[in-house]
Amino acid sequence: MSGRAQLMWDDAVTGYDFGDSHPMDPVRLALTMGLVRAFGLDGAVDVRGAKAAGNSTLRLVHREDYVSAVRAASLDPKDADQAYGLGTVDDPAFAGMHEASALIAGLSVGAAEAVWRGETTHAVNFTGGLHHAMPGSAAGFCIYNDPALAIARLLELGAERVAYVDVDVHHGDGVQAAFWEDPRVLTVSLHEHPRTLFPQTGWPEETGGGAGEGGAVNVALPAGTGDAGWLRAFHAVVPELLADFRPQVLVTQHGADTHFEDPLAHLAVSLDAQRAVMEACHDLAHEYAEDRWVALGGGGYAVVDVVPRSWTHLVGIAAHAPVDPESMVPASWKDEVYARTRQLGPARMTDGRTPSWQPWEAGYDPADRLDQAVLATRRAAFPLRGLLA
């Protein structure tokens, strides 16, 4: 087995472009890869491409008629069928949409295959994490659901237990829906409360159905939650679930839109807390998932100041070559930022925070909104798994 992590990358992913006025600017991907290179992390990982997901792979999650609709809209955006969520404000159709979306999906599937087959223990695709796409429709800037496709491919290859942990500010609804009745998959999502944010799902009472009852776990965080609350909620829920489930592979989604600078949401999390959760996921993969870790990107719309730094930390952690938060951002990358965006890049790889939190085991405050959210999740989901709330 290779001792080096794999980083999935293809320059063509920047073709996933909804247009100049859309918040999901593909420059965030190019700038992230630029920062990875500026820190020399491309020498600490194996940078790999992958084939775009073909029809047989896409059909593991998506309906054939939906894939056909995406192909049609990709050939001629005027043919976009809004019944499939295509050609909408959130998901405008664009030429080459199928090809770019299938490539991102293929990179996530390739990451999962590499980890399962023992080519590496850790694989990162920060271009992925498009967790809102449903089997038969686009949603929330997502055309094909690459996390669900990666998990479905792991199951096809013989995995019996896969855990998915999603810390994007938005609920991982599409992945939850794909495995709602599948006991082989545990989905855990920490997100801003559905009362105040798209997609208005992810209530603690959503716990899975049929044979998969207890397989969906949702932590709905109050708007305004900052580092201490976010980390407290993560550690109050995720480690205990993974210790019980013992996944063979841990798949995580690291949307950077929990950040206090993100323009589309209302949490107040720092880059330093995001990094702490990445480190925790890495440690949990080693402790409970046979070292196997597939780490994906996701949302994130502060495309200069936040996303590249956050996901460069993710790559460094997966590579066992973490970037010191006190590091100055390389001047060469700041030049790239200005050339691409006419903006000034951030100075350091930290927001200057030292996140800390109170462990759940020390007790909780029933009058505290964050603790109420955690308790609601534990009461709804934990007993279904035989765990104490």
Side-chain angles (χ1 to χ4, degrees):
M1 179 182 291
S2 169
R4 289 159 63 92
Q6 290 191 9
L7 173 60
M8 312 304 291
W9 176 256
D10 187 314
D11 288 343
V13 295
T14 58
Y16 192 84
D17 187 352
F18 290 115
D20 291 343
S21 62
H22 198 280
M24 186 175 266
D25 188 337
V27 76
R28 69 196 193 122
L29 305 179
L31 290 177
T32 300
M33 194 62 194
L35 190 55
V36 166
R37 289 175 174 139
F39 274 108
L41 291 173
D42 55 329
V45 296
D46 291 331
V47 180
R48 299 287 180 88
K51 293 181 180 178
N55 273 3
S56 61
T57 298
L58 294 172
R59 286 291 308 280
L60 293 173
V61 169
H62 294 290
R63 297 200 318 250
E64 185 173 6
D65 61 312
Y66 173 61
V67 175
S68 296
V70 174
R71 286 182 176 274
S74 185
L75 288 170
D76 187 347
K78 295 192 298 295
D79 290 339
D81 188 342
Q82 292 198 5
Y84 291 102
L86 303 169
T88 62
V89 172
D90 275 1
D91 298 280
F94 59 91
M97 179 171 63
H98 166 77
E99 289 75 14
S101 304
L103 176 59
I104 291 172
L107 292 171
S108 290
V109 169
E113 290 174 341
V115 168
W116 183 253
R117 290 171 175 162
E119 298 170 17
T120 184
T121 54
H122 305 339
V124 179
N125 178 25
F126 60 75
T127 75
L130 305 177
H131 58 172
H132 293 307
M134 293 292 175
S137 65
F141 314 162
C142 305
I143 305 301
Y144 294 138
N145 194 316
D146 66 280
L149 289 163
I151 294 167
R153 179 60 175 149
L154 288 167
L155 299 177
E156 187 178 51
L157 291 171
E160 297 175 347
R161 295 180 311 283
V162 179
Y164 173 73
V165 175
D166 187 319
V167 297
D168 193 287
V169 78
H170 302 93
H171 177 224
D173 56 340
V175 184
Q176 175 180 286
F179 304 105
W180 183 252
E181 297 185 351
D182 194 331
R184 298 172 296 174
V185 180
L186 172 69
T187 64
V188 186
S189 179
L190 285 83
H191 47 267
E192 184 178 329
H193 201 287
R195 284 197 190 96
T196 54
L197 195 66
F198 174 90
Q200 283 78 53
T201 59
W203 299 80
E205 295 79 16
E206 297 172 31
T207 55
E213 187 179 26
V217 181
N218 289 289
V219 187
L221 301 168
T225 296
D227 289 358
W230 195 62
L231 291 168
R232 176 170 166 82
F234 179 92
H235 288 282
V237 172
V238 176
E240 191 171 349
L241 290 169
L242 296 184
D244 172 69
F245 189 63
R246 296 280 170 170
Q248 293 161 298
V249 186
L250 176 61
V251 179
T252 58
Q253 197 268 22
H254 297 273
D257 44 9
T258 51
H259 195 272
F260 55 77
E261 288 187 17
D262 197 90
L264 299 190
H266 317 97
L267 294 192
V269 173
S270 72
L271 181 72
D272 303 287
Q274 291 178 346
R275 184 178 183 276
V277 160
M278 294 168 186
E279 290 178 327
C281 288
H282 176 231
D283 293 344
L284 291 167
H286 281 292
E287 188 168 1
Y288 298 125
E290 304 176 29
D291 300 337
R292 298 188 185 107
W293 184 30
V294 177
L296 308 173
Y301 309 100
V303 300
V304 170
D305 286 346
V306 177
V307 174
R309 292 188 298 159
S310 186
W311 293 346
T312 297
H313 278 305
L314 180 64
V315 173
I317 290 164
H320 298 129
V323 176
D324 184 343
E326 294 300 324
S327 298
M328 300 301 292
V329 171
S332 61
W333 182 77
K334 294 176 75 173
D335 290 344
E336 180 185 354
V337 168
Y338 189 77
R340 289 182 179 272
T341 69
R342 292 297 185 266
Q343 296 182 44
L344 299 177
R348 295 191 301 157
M349 291 297 288
T350 177
D351 286 333
R353 309 287 178 86
T354 305
S356 63
W357 72 96
Q358 291 296 318
W360 188 254
E361 295 76 15
Y364 61 88
D365 178 359
D368 182 82
R369 292 174 64 219
L370 186 281
D371 284 4
Q372 290 170 0
V374 171
L375 191 59
T377 297
R378 292 181 63 98
R379 285 175 171 167
F382 276 44
L384 297 174
R385 306 203 62 83
L387 301 173
L388 295 176

